[in-house]
Amino acid sequence: MSYLLLKDNIRASAVCKAWREATEHVRVGEKYPWIISFPTQGTLFDLFDPLQRKMYSLNLPDIAGMNVCFSKEGWLLMRKSRFVEFFFFNPYSRELISLPNCELPFQAIAFSSAPTSGTCVLVTLNPISEYLVAISICYPGETELINMEFPCSIAFDPNMHSNLIYANGHFYCFTAGGVLFDFDPSSRTLNQQAWDEPIFPNIHNSEWIYLPKIFYLMKQKGELFLMYTYGSETPVVYKLVSSKWEEMSSALLDGLTIFASRYCSETRMNVLGMRNSVYFPKYDVHNKQCVSYSYDEGRYSPCKQKELGSVESLWIEPPPCKDV
């Protein structure tokens, strides 16, 4: 049983009691991110395990009252409120790494890897006008940002776009109208690719015109996935296959779990108890239940998700040990 993939392990466990005991004994699920919530005041930050439904507290006076911009590999990208000063911060080790000031506005921001990895690059993206995009790049240890401008053959929609994501050495951002922006930091080039609007029929459908629409861009083993939500309707998921976006049914998800956030979105495969679902960094404090959508059950949980508070929160890698 130890040689089986997790999905085959789960299928084998349904054969009989003896097989179930054997499969459960060797079953190891993939690690999943937790939620970190930023208080409106004070220095105590909530850390929530969405599967075990356990809450922890972190006393982080170093970032109290500041804005968070992005999260990756356990690191937070922070910005001092009303200031242009940015820095990396690890809430578990309390390590802080300064960055050059960023005086230009931006619509999306992301970094490629942990700032201690030696390969980290930070990128900001901002449309100056309808057909002109500004991009800034920065490396930890540098004293200033590199600012560039790129003409665009297709307009960047500043009101409806995804988060910025790093995959396969490139940064990607998706905008309304079916346009994928692709920035290569090594060659410092920006490319665009557009798809026909009917691929995303409900984005501008008059039936959903008054519902808030949000794009989430993410990756899984180097492949790009796109999800958009509108109101309380079923989240729609696409996968980029051979330069074509293909809609993913529940069967095609094959155990995929999406952890969606307007800051950054993550994916995992075959997380026990979380398969074929979308999780949002929003939870019921009293019942300790995370807002999620199950494609297998075809519903959101909890049902009264709109009644939950709008605390600023995002996904982060869990602490090295659970004794937080």
Side-chain angles (χ1 to χ4, degrees):
M1 293 298 181
S2 63
Y3 289 97
L4 295 178
L5 297 175
L6 180 58
K7 62 180 181 180
D8 296 325
N9 175 294
I10 295 172
R11 291 167 182 161
S13 67
V15 173
C16 63
K17 181 179 179 180
W19 280 39
R20 184 178 70 250
E21 292 176 351
T23 54
E24 290 178 349
H25 180 73
V26 299
R27 186 180 297 169
V28 178
E30 189 171 0
K31 290 179 63 177
Y32 54 89
W34 290 11
I35 299 172
I36 184 169
S37 297
F38 286 67
T40 54
Q41 58 183 359
T43 63
L44 288 180
F45 290 68
D46 288 333
L47 193 62
F48 180 65
D49 181 336
L51 184 58
Q52 301 299 326
R53 298 186 182 183
K54 293 183 179 180
M55 187 85 69
Y56 305 88
S57 293
L58 294 173
N59 185 25
L60 302 174
D62 293 334
I63 58 173
M66 300 181 189
N67 297 324
V68 63
C69 300
F70 195 75
S71 170
K72 192 178 183 72
E73 298 182 16
W75 287 84
L76 301 173
L77 177 61
M78 303 300 305
R79 178 177 65 175
K80 289 189 176 180
S81 301
R82 300 182 181 180
F83 291 96
V84 296
E85 184 178 345
F86 286 78
F87 60 91
F88 292 114
F89 183 75
N90 188 313
Y92 307 129
S93 66
R94 309 303 199 268
E95 187 176 357
L96 188 152
I97 299 177
S98 299
L99 287 166
N101 290 345
C102 180
E103 299 179 359
L104 299 177
F106 58 86
Q107 285 285 338
I109 188 169
F111 58 92
S112 62
S113 57
T116 54
S117 65
T119 59
C120 178
V121 55
L122 182 147
V123 167
T124 70
L125 185 151
N126 184 62
I128 299 176
S129 62
E130 189 176 7
Y131 293 98
L132 186 65
V133 170
I135 291 181
S136 299
I137 62 176
C138 174
Y139 300 90
E142 297 287 332
T143 57
E144 60 182 18
L145 279 74
I146 302 170
N147 302 313
M148 297 164 287
E149 295 182 0
F150 298 91
C152 299
S153 57
I154 310 171
F156 184 100
D157 190 336
N159 299 314
M160 195 182 300
H161 62 83
S162 74
N163 51 293
L164 191 62
I165 186 173
Y166 180 79
N168 307 316
H170 292 216
F171 286 86
Y172 298 92
C173 185
F174 185 89
T175 70
V179 183
L180 184 69
F181 283 76
D182 173 359
F183 176 68
D184 183 352
S186 61
S187 63
R188 299 179 184 177
T189 55
L190 180 67
N191 296 307
Q192 297 171 268
Q193 187 170 358
W195 286 267
D196 294 335
E197 189 66 21
I199 295 178
F200 309 98
N202 292 328
I203 293 179
H204 299 298
N205 191 315
S206 59
E207 184 179 355
W208 314 110
I209 194 168
Y210 297 109
L211 294 177
K213 306 172 187 68
I214 305 176
F215 290 118
Y216 304 91
L217 192 63
M218 62 220 78
K219 68 175 181 178
Q220 172 60 219
K221 294 184 178 179
E223 297 180 308
L224 293 184
F225 285 78
L226 173 71
M227 182 184 77
Y228 74 87
T229 61
Y230 44 104
S232 59
E233 300 300 316
T234 301
V236 183
V237 180
Y238 293 90
K239 178 182 178 180
L240 186 58
V241 180
S242 300
S243 299
K244 180 181 179 181
W245 291 103
E246 295 184 358
E247 186 172 352
M248 304 294 290
S249 64
S250 177
L252 291 175
L253 289 175
D254 197 26
L256 181 71
T257 307
I258 296 173
F259 298 90
S261 167
R262 66 188 179 92
Y263 299 97
C264 53
S265 296
E266 301 274 348
T267 62
R268 298 291 189 273
M269 288 298 298
N270 296 314
V271 178
L272 301 181
M274 307 177 86
R275 291 163 48 87
N276 298 337
S277 299
V278 179
Y279 281 77
F280 300 90
K282 197 174 182 182
Y283 53 90
D284 185 333
V285 177
H286 301 290
N287 297 320
K288 291 185 172 58
Q289 184 176 3
C290 189
V291 173
S292 63
Y293 181 86
S294 169
Y295 288 94
D296 294 335
E297 299 177 4
R299 65 182 180 88
Y300 278 96
S301 180
C303 296
K304 297 182 179 180
Q305 56 171 304
K306 295 182 180 179
E307 299 178 6
L308 300 179
S310 56
V311 178
E312 186 176 39
S313 56
L314 73 161
W315 298 103
I316 188 172
E317 288 296 308
C321 63
K322 294 186 178 180
D323 298 327
V324 295

